[in-house]
Each structure stands twice: as C-alpha cells, then as structure tokens.
C-alpha cells in the first residue's frame, strides 16, 4: 500500500514537472512603418504654410477653408502657388534685391485688433512695437473689396512688410508681403494694384 502511494506521488510529481511552463524566447522582427512626409518648403518650391511667424492652431485651417472665396489679378512679376494650409492665396516675387512672399489669410474675429497685428508684424522684421497714436505713421485707409481697410507699410533694415488688413463681416483678412526690403519697396505699386483687384465673395449685400 505504501509502495503504491509512493508510486502515485512520483507519477503526480512527474506530471506536474511536465506541465511546468518553461521560459520561451521569441525574436519578433522590428516593425517597419513608412510614412510619407512632405519635404521642406524650399524643396517643394512653394512658400511655407501660413504666416511664417504664426503658429497654425487647431481650427485655423478649417476656418480658412470655410471663409468666402476671393478673386484677384496677379501682377506680372509674381509667381502664384496653390492655396496652402491657412493661406487663401500664395505668391512669391524675386528681383535683384532678393525675394518676398505674399500671402492672403483670414481668421474669425478681430484677431486682437489692428494695433496688435501691426506690432506682431513689426516684431517679425525686428521693429519695436508702437502705440495707437503712432499708427497713422505706418498705415493709411485703403478700400479692399469695397470695404474699408488699411494699408500697412513697415520698413525694416533687411526685411520689410507691406500689407493690407480688412475687417469683413466678422472675420479679419490679412494681405501680407514680406521679404527683402529692396524687393518689397520695388513691389509697392504692384501690391496696391493687387489689393485694388481683390474681390471677396460677399453674400451680405
């Protein structure tokens, strides 16, 4: 009887030992994932997306896409690129002085107001901010798409900005040329002609 019990325990231990999990090592191939990434803007020969100094926040692109369409006449020397990101229109011009980019963007609301946006642009070309009393020194009234806007002229040592700003039925439109000071100066007449040609779809009238 005792011998049978010993034999049963030995069998049980033997079975338990056979079922004991042994460590197993697997070699899993490293996952390879290929994601197409756009190259730098320069490689695509397309101006960078959006305001070169503006973060594209969530909702900005959707707001730009939902904004009314616009028509315009492109000055002869300007090269036009397809709309991109928050830009409704996209251009570049080059001459012996350098180059400049022209972008048209639109955002809901007043985006901080005229003075805040002028000072933001001033900071982008190394100029100090101004106060409200100094605004007439760098702006003048300008009609864009049959609405009252302003023309902004900011001259820096190396970079300058010439642009238009328009409040339009609850949104603010920005027409901005930024580039080499000599290029921007030489394109002043073309920029005004462009602004005068702009027509924004307007279903409020």
């Amino acid at each position: 009887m005792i011998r049978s019990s010993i034999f049963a325990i030995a069998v049980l231990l033997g079975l338990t030992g056979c079922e004991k999990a042994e460590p197993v090592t697997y070699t899993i191939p490293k996952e390879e994932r290929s994601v197409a990434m756009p190259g730098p803007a320069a490689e695509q020969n397309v101006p960078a997306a959006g305001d070169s100094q503006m973060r594209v926040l969530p909702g900005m692109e959707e707001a730009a896409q939902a904004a009314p369409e616009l028509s315009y006449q492109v000055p002869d020397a300007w090269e036009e690129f397809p709309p991109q990101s928050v830009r409704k229109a996209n251009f570049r011009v080059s001459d012996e002085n350098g180059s400049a980019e022209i972008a048209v963007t639109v955002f809901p609301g007043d985006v901080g107001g005229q003075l805040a946006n002028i000072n933001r642009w001033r900071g982008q070309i190394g100029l100090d901010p101004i106060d409200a009393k100094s605004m007439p020194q760098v702006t003048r009234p300008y009609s864009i798409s049959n609405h009252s806007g302003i023309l902004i002229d900011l001259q820096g040592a190396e970079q300058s900005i010439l642009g238009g700003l328009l409040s339009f039925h609850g949104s603010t439109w920005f027409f901005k040329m930024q580039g080499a000071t000599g290029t921007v100066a030489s394109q002043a007449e073309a920029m005004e002609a462009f602004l005068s040609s702009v027509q924004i779809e307007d279903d409020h009238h």
Side-chain angles (χ1 to χ4, degrees):
M1 183 65 179
I2 294 175
R3 182 175 298 174
S4 298
S5 298
I6 294 173
F7 177 77
I9 292 172
V11 170
L12 180 61
L13 291 174
L15 289 174
T16 302
C18 290
E19 293 176 355
K20 184 177 180 181
E22 296 292 334
V24 178
T25 301
Y26 297 96
T27 300
I28 302 174
K30 183 177 180 181
E31 182 181 9
E32 294 183 0
R33 180 175 299 175
S34 177
V35 179
M37 297 292 290
E43 294 180 1
Q44 300 177 44
N45 200 29
V46 176
D51 189 319
S52 58
Q53 299 293 324
M54 177 182 289
R55 291 179 58 198
V56 179
L57 301 175
M60 283 186 169
E61 292 187 32
E62 290 78 3
Q65 293 170 3
E69 296 301 317
L70 73 164
S71 60
Y72 44 77
Q73 293 182 356
V74 184
D76 291 339
W78 292 13
E79 186 178 7
E80 185 171 15
F81 297 90
Q84 182 184 29
S85 184
V86 297
R87 293 188 177 192
K88 297 288 286 184
N90 218 13
F91 312 93
R92 178 182 290 159
V93 61
S94 301
D95 61 13
E96 67 277 10
N97 300 300
S99 64
E101 291 185 3
I102 303 95
V104 178
T105 54
V106 57
F107 302 103
D110 66 359
V111 202
Q114 292 182 349
L115 180 61
N117 285 291
I118 289 171
N119 281 330
R120 178 171 58 84
W121 283 3
R122 289 178 65 84
Q124 292 172 6
I125 56 175
L127 297 176
D128 293 331
I130 60 173
D131 57 23
K133 294 181 179 178
S134 300
M135 281 185 58
Q137 299 175 12
V138 297
T139 67
R140 60 183 169 92
Y142 204 87
S143 178
I144 303 173
S145 193
N146 303 316
H147 286 67
S148 298
I150 58 173
L151 186 67
I152 304 166
D153 187 359
L154 307 176
Q155 298 179 15
E158 298 180 356
Q159 291 267 308
S160 291
I161 291 175
L162 184 61
L165 195 155
L166 173 68
S167 296
F168 189 88
H169 302 307
S171 296
T172 302
W173 287 74
F174 298 87
F175 305 85
K176 178 187 176 188
M177 171 187 286
Q178 178 176 353
T181 290
T183 304
V184 172
S186 71
Q187 294 297 313
E189 186 174 339
M191 185 65 178
E192 291 197 33
F194 170 72
L195 290 174
S196 296
S197 73
V198 168
Q199 291 295 319
I200 303 171
E201 288 184 353
D202 187 356
D203 57 4
H204 292 77
H205 297 290

